[in-house]
Amino acid sequence: MVTSPELPRSAEALLADGTVVTIRPLVRGDHDAIADLHARRMSPDNQRLRFFGISRRAPELTADRLCAPPRPGFVALGAFEPAAGQLIGVVECEAEPENPGRAELAVAVADDWHHRGVATLLIEHLVHAARAQDIRVLVADALADNRAMHRVFTDLGLATQRHWADAQVRIEAVLDETATPYLDAVEARGSRADIASLRPLLRPRSVALIGVSRRTGTVGHSLLLKIRNGGFTGSLWPVNPHAGQIEGLLCFPDLDALPGVPDLAVLAVPANGVAVTAEECGRRGVRALVVLTSGLSRIQSTRLVRACRRHSMRLVGPNCLGLAVTDPAVSLDAEFGRATPKAGGAGVAVQSGGVGIALMEQLDTLGIGISDFVSLGDKYDVSGNDLLQWWEQDGRTRLALLHLESFGSPRAFSRTARRVARLMPILTVDAGRSVAGRRGAASHTAAAATPTVTRQALFTQAGITATHSIAELVETAALLDSQPLPGITGTVAVVSNAGGIGVLAADACVDHGLTVPELPAPLALRLADLLPEGAATANPVDSTAAAPAETLVAAVDLLAESGAVEAVLLCLAPTALGTAQTTLEALAPLLAGPGRRTRPVAAVLLDQREPVRFLDCADGARIPAFAEAQSAARALTQAVRRSRWLAQPLSAERETPDCRPTEAAALVEQYLAQHPDGGWPAPPLVARLLACYGLPLADAIWCDDEESVVQAASVLARTGEGGEVVLKAHWPGQIHKSDLGAVRITSAVGEQVRAVHRDFVARFGEKLDGVLVQPRQPAGVELLAGVVQDPVFGPLVVFGAGGTTADLLDDRTARLAPLTDADIGAMVTSLRTTPLLFGYRGSPPVDLARVEDLLARLGRMAADLPQLAEADLNPLICGPHGVVCVDARVRLEPRRTPDPYLRRLRRLPDTPGEPA
């Protein structure tokens, strides 16, 4: 039996009903369990469907085959119920010797586990393992009345064909794990399973509070009061072996004494008791845990997670603040923050307890209520990805606020966030920006790929609104929760009752990338008719302090509906006629709400103490009032960015025909077999690798002595600009060769070429391992493109201004691979030097289609080859007739990256000395 080298020895995943199962390769010791599954745990009818008849020997023969010694082209996986380790299903495939790339599949599931998604989950893992063995088509023979098998293949999302012959059907499925229909189907199944598993956590009907104390001021005691006083609608069962009653509530000595099985258990016990208590909860039938305890050792943490997986319990924490659910059907406040969450439409998930407390208090002060609050703590299991899927379907959440310090599977998170962000705003604090030092100047690409750049690429692609502080997050949430979105141009009209504040607000808007355009003459005339004599109507609009509330409202409404701008910022200063707040309070009831107004309106009040608050408008709507123009401008800018992201059409990964990933993978494996620690391959191998993906590398000849250099120069000079050639000295690990004097342009005259080569030998000595000779390229726009494999986020594609001044200009953009059409379009148009690509001051435009194709192919190569630690194509010479790379460097290292879309729960590292 041969299994995929990328498939873990075992993986735990969720079935459709939220139950956890373990998927692993079958081994010799599973023989009896396999035979028992087929002989005793499948009905005669299901045995007939599996074996095309009833045979007493079939179960034993099947077990013999599945447990035979490893052989190429054979994969066998089993699904095990983790509590008892019982085998509940198997799937196998074996390559057809006469048809390379094809394998025959068979699957069987115990009768009592039908209709829970076991077969589908097994086949998903088999698809991943089979692809690693170059199996491209799975073939399954089924009886015509085997409706369950037909349904499984219909729902998989793979391209299938069916061939009918009497009572049998041959089903052929093409294995393309990257195809959008397949990923969509896997994602949908994963989401349904996730939601089912989270129901006991986020909609519990009963809660056990374990570790509650009689002493006031303790976490357990405080939590008991919060749950009771919060009006929890279900049953609350405090567990304390030493107390009969606490705060008037009957206490129970242990879990076995409870009058029922709690959906959720909240643990506030010492670290050394967490794993034992979790195991007791699992045996009792609890389906979700919240662990408040901090300070768990690695062994204690591993035992906790194993207990949760063994008993299909979802886990929040440890080291967390707790959770709160404001759904009136639940009303559970099981967190020990100071504020009591009020019901509303904001879903909040944080890793930091301090951030969670600050967010809840600010949202409470502002008046934005929450739907659910979850403090993720150390995030051993439940993650931001899980919660986004829950909020997507709960019918209560209007916006999601996240504070995540880490990402378990960034690409899976990105895929979920892209989908959810089209339904609701997702806001986050871009934490940890100060860690963004240069990651070693091994290349221009690596220098650009800081953790900040990588994280921002994720946020940009996923449509996540990333702010720099909690204050900015709350301010932006206030605007997005109360106002319609602006358009994509970012034009703003500023209206003030004092000229100076209007000018400052206009400056703030421009500082943040918005535009404050001069108003069209007809609109300015209409405003002049409305406003008192002496008002300025160009934009910013100065209404003067004499304008009454009704007049200001009419001006704001006129501007909002004029079509000349996409947002209105009303700025009020206190005057002798009243404070800014009293002025706005008089205005607010007269303003039309978003139901009638299609453009956002925000206010700036110079005498307001709160950073942001709401004022009630007409139609029951609200208007956000900011204490500073900078805050309002930041929030408006974030709203414009969201509008632009939503305006992008949904796009698939860019097609890259004629790539040869199998050949590229073989080249990589061959190099790593000779260099187990990895390294920088010589130019000939780099050229072959890039050629596998159709990346345009300049003509070049690799030479290892003086005579071959002279001959190569003579040949290549015929195509070089001005008959000149470029000689590049090379040695392993070389960095920035131009800075080292390792690049020389010369005529192809033999003596001059010899002189350059001899100079290289004299200067670089024994470390010189060869010289690359290229024809000199015509001038063009110099760009760079490259790849860095981030250990957490996966491959990052960097694009920007290139050449020897690349680091000086620092004009770059980045996206995580694989790249969609929208990603590529945004990269090409988001540089400061983008005008050069379209033709600047009479220069010819660059062939943008070739540039975009290069980025797509580079992204495809990065996604296909996890061993591609780094690639640096710099410079790319771009002109009207195409793109050519004149210098490329690649670094390879041994690495296996698990499929980010394969359904499985997070796995903690095995603890030394712990039993499996």
Side-chain angles (χ1 to χ4, degrees):
M1 173 186 50
V2 178
T3 59
S4 163
E6 296 180 6
L7 188 74
R9 243 345 250 175
S10 66
E12 290 154 325
L14 295 171
L15 296 179
D17 62 355
T19 302
V20 176
V21 294
T22 299
I23 308 290
R24 66 165 172 81
L26 294 170
V27 296
R28 187 179 300 277
D30 297 318
H31 184 282
D32 292 346
I34 296 169
D36 182 70
L37 169 70
H38 289 87
R40 297 178 182 82
R41 300 179 58 215
M42 294 173 64
S43 68
D45 189 50
N46 281 328
Q47 290 181 29
R48 175 186 66 84
L49 294 175
R50 168 63 185 88
F51 299 118
F52 292 24
I54 302 296
S55 167
R56 292 183 179 180
R57 296 197 61 204
E60 192 72 20
L61 292 173
T62 299
D64 290 343
R65 185 178 68 256
L66 296 186
C67 295
R71 55 193 184 274
F74 180 72
V75 181
L77 305 175
F80 296 81
E81 187 275 319
Q86 185 181 50
L87 179 68
I88 60 175
V90 297
V91 67
E92 60 174 299
C93 75
E94 183 152 20
E96 299 177 350
E98 67 281 4
N99 294 311
R102 292 166 61 92
E104 189 169 349
L105 173 143
V107 62
V109 176
D111 285 0
D112 54 344
W113 285 82
H114 280 195
H115 311 299
R116 299 169 73 173
V118 177
T120 305
L121 183 62
L122 277 168
I123 293 174
E124 286 180 20
H125 282 254
L126 182 81
V127 165
H128 179 69
R131 284 275 294 175
Q133 298 205 35
D134 291 328
I135 295 170
R136 297 295 178 262
V137 178
L138 287 178
V139 179
D141 291 321
L143 293 175
D145 63 340
N146 192 346
R147 298 182 183 86
M149 178 62 77
H150 295 303
R151 188 180 309 115
V152 164
F153 274 93
T154 298
D155 295 342
L156 267 178
L158 295 171
T160 59
Q161 289 185 344
R162 287 174 168 79
H163 306 280
W164 298 79
D166 298 327
Q168 294 185 25
V169 183
R170 168 154 284 203
I171 307 169
E172 297 183 355
V174 179
L175 306 190
D176 186 355
E177 295 174 281
T178 64
T180 299
Y182 180 71
L183 290 180
D184 288 345
V186 171
E187 187 176 37
R189 289 191 288 269
S191 181
R192 288 193 294 271
D194 230 6
I195 290 165
S197 73
L198 292 174
R199 197 165 298 282
L201 176 73
L202 295 173
R203 296 298 180 266
R205 294 162 298 181
S206 52
V207 174
L209 179 54
I210 304 174
V212 60
S213 172
R214 287 175 291 193
R215 289 186 295 112
T216 59
T218 59
V219 169
H221 190 274
S222 300
L223 217 58
L224 179 67
L225 292 176
K226 292 203 79 171
I227 296 174
R228 186 193 66 179
N229 298 341
F232 177 50
T233 60
S235 300
L236 174 59
W237 297 322
V239 176
N240 183 326
H242 307 295
Q245 272 193 354
I246 298 178
E247 296 292 343
L249 291 173
L250 177 65
C251 273
F252 299 89
D254 52 43
L255 285 163
D256 291 333
L258 298 181
V261 178
D263 289 332
L264 169 65
V266 181
L267 276 58
V269 301
N272 59 7
V274 167
V276 172
T277 305
E279 181 65 32
E280 292 171 353
C281 288
R283 286 200 299 265
R284 189 72 170 86
V286 175
R287 294 300 304 277
L289 294 184
V290 173
V291 178
L292 310 177
T293 312
S294 62
L296 272 67
S297 69
R298 187 180 176 191
I299 290 177
Q300 292 165 343
S301 298
T302 303
R303 287 175 173 169
L304 167 63
V305 173
R306 287 181 182 167
C308 290
R309 299 292 162 77
R310 192 157 41 239
H311 299 288
S312 294
M313 296 186 293
R314 295 309 303 267
L315 167 66
V316 169
N319 186 27
C320 73
L321 195 67
L323 61 79
V325 178
T326 65
D327 186 333
V330 179
S331 296
L332 174 64
D333 184 9
E335 48 76 35
F336 56 94
R338 183 172 58 181
T340 298
K342 293 182 173 56
V348 180
V350 297
Q351 276 189 261
S352 163
V355 171
I357 291 171
L359 259 180
M360 277 198 296
E361 293 193 351
Q362 291 193 35
L363 291 173
D364 179 61
T365 300
L366 184 58
I368 296 181
I370 71 165
S371 55
D372 303 298
F373 169 84
V374 182
S375 170
L376 299 169
D378 291 338
K379 206 176 64 168
Y380 285 177
D381 177 28
V382 173
S383 66
N385 197 45
D386 296 310
L387 293 168
L388 285 179
Q389 293 179 93
W390 176 268
W391 293 329
E392 180 183 19
Q393 56 78 51
D394 72 351
R396 300 182 67 240
T397 304
R398 298 189 305 273
L399 71 164
L401 309 182
L402 305 176
H403 177 265
L404 302 178
E405 297 167 356
S406 63
F407 300 87
S409 176
R411 279 192 275 179
F413 173 79
S414 175
R415 190 170 173 85
T416 299
R418 287 187 201 217
R419 185 182 72 245
V420 177
R422 293 200 170 267
L423 301 177
M424 67 180 73
I426 302 174
L427 295 88
T428 190
V429 178
D430 186 6
R433 286 171 289 115
S434 60
V435 199
R438 298 278 183 185
R439 248 192 357 177
S443 71
H444 298 283
T445 302
T450 65
T452 295
V453 168
T454 309
R455 202 170 47 248
Q456 288 172 350
L458 171 68
F459 295 152
T460 298
Q461 287 171 275
I464 296 172
T465 300
T467 65
H468 287 177
S469 65
I470 295 175
E472 185 186 352
L473 183 141
V474 172
E475 292 159 359
T476 304
L479 182 73
L480 293 177
D481 192 49
S482 64
Q483 297 296 303
L485 283 174
I488 63 174
T489 64
T491 52
V492 180
V494 176
V495 180
S496 70
N497 65 347
I501 181 179
V503 171
L504 291 174
D507 288 344
C509 289
V510 173
D511 287 344
H512 289 279
L514 302 170
T515 304
V516 183
E518 185 174 353
L519 299 177
L523 179 58
L525 288 173
R526 292 178 65 188
L527 281 170
D529 291 339
L530 275 175
L531 298 174
E533 186 175 353
T537 60
N539 196 20
V541 175
D542 179 8
S543 69
T544 76
E550 295 82 356
T551 300
L552 278 172
V553 167
V556 169
D557 284 342
L558 175 61
L559 288 165
E561 299 307 315
S562 67
V565 293
E566 294 179 338
V568 179
L569 189 57
L570 176 60
C571 305
L572 300 174
T575 68
L577 303 177
T579 67
Q581 295 188 62
T582 56
T583 303
L584 187 60
E585 286 165 0
L587 287 171
L590 304 175
L591 283 168
R596 286 172 45 200
R597 185 170 20 83
T598 58
R599 298 300 186 198
V601 172
V604 175
L605 307 183
L606 286 192
D607 57 353
Q608 179 173 292
R609 291 187 176 181
E610 305 95 330
V612 61
R613 68 186 180 104
F614 285 123
L615 292 173
D616 293 330
C617 301
D619 305 334
R622 299 178 299 175
I623 183 172
F626 299 87
E628 294 183 355
Q630 291 284 345
S631 300
R634 275 198 306 263
L636 282 170
T637 299
Q638 296 284 18
V640 170
R641 287 174 182 160
R642 173 161 172 77
S643 292
R644 290 171 180 165
W645 184 83
L646 289 171
Q648 294 177 0
L650 292 171
S651 63
E653 183 183 341
R654 174 71 67 94
E655 294 291 332
T656 52
D658 304 322
C659 291
R660 305 190 301 276
T662 303
E663 181 182 338
L667 290 172
V668 170
E669 292 297 336
Q670 183 180 5
Y671 176 83
L672 291 174
Q674 299 170 358
H675 305 82
D677 295 330
W680 299 86
L685 179 56
V686 172
R688 293 177 63 190
L689 195 58
L690 298 186
C692 289
Y693 286 88
L695 291 163
L697 193 60
D699 292 338
I701 298 176
W702 174 252
C703 306
D704 54 14
D705 60 50
E706 184 176 303
E707 289 306 318
S708 60
V709 170
V710 172
Q711 292 175 15
S714 176
V715 171
L716 293 176
R718 301 165 193 167
T719 59
E721 183 78 1
E724 293 183 317
V725 292
V726 181
L727 275 56
K728 300 178 179 179
H730 182 272
W731 57 87
Q734 186 181 55
I735 298 175
H736 303 325
K737 58 174 65 72
S738 294
D739 296 344
L740 301 173
V743 178
R744 297 281 293 275
I745 300 172
T746 180
S747 73
V749 177
E751 287 309 312
Q752 295 187 27
V753 173
R754 291 181 191 277
V756 172
H757 182 268
R758 290 168 184 169
D759 182 57
F760 284 165
V761 172
R763 294 176 62 189
F764 305 125
E766 292 183 356
K767 69 179 179 180
L768 182 71
D769 69 347
V771 174
L772 195 70
V773 184
Q774 293 177 319
R776 184 179 181 184
Q777 299 296 319
V781 178
E782 293 192 358
L783 301 173
L784 73 80
V787 170
V788 171
Q789 288 278 357
D790 187 277
V792 175
F793 291 82
L796 180 78
V797 179
V798 177
F799 175 67
T804 56
T805 59
D807 291 333
L808 177 65
L809 294 176
D810 197 22
D811 183 19
R812 304 178 180 112
T813 185
R815 295 292 186 275
L816 293 166
L819 303 177
T820 66
D821 283 318
D823 295 332
I824 293 170
M827 293 177 79
V828 169
T829 58
S830 61
L831 302 175
R832 296 193 304 274
T833 49
T834 289
L836 296 177
L837 307 182
F838 292 94
Y840 184 70
R841 292 189 174 181
S843 62
V846 163
D847 187 342
L848 286 178
R850 295 286 182 87
V851 174
E852 292 179 352
D853 183 65
L854 179 143
L855 289 173
R857 292 176 181 276
L858 190 60
R860 181 73 265 151
M861 182 171 71
D864 286 347
L865 303 174
Q867 305 93 334
L868 182 66
E870 191 177 330
D872 194 45
L873 280 59
N874 178 43
L876 301 169
I877 307 297
C878 307
H881 304 298
V883 179
V884 63
C885 174
V886 299
D887 198 67
R889 301 174 67 245
V890 163
R891 182 166 64 87
L892 302 175
E893 64 180 30
R895 180 185 298 175
R896 295 288 182 189
T897 301
D899 179 355
Y901 306 119
L902 188 64
R903 281 200 287 157
R904 56 186 161 200
L905 294 167
R906 179 186 176 189
R907 179 185 175 92
L908 286 182
D910 290 332
T911 304
E914 278 289 281

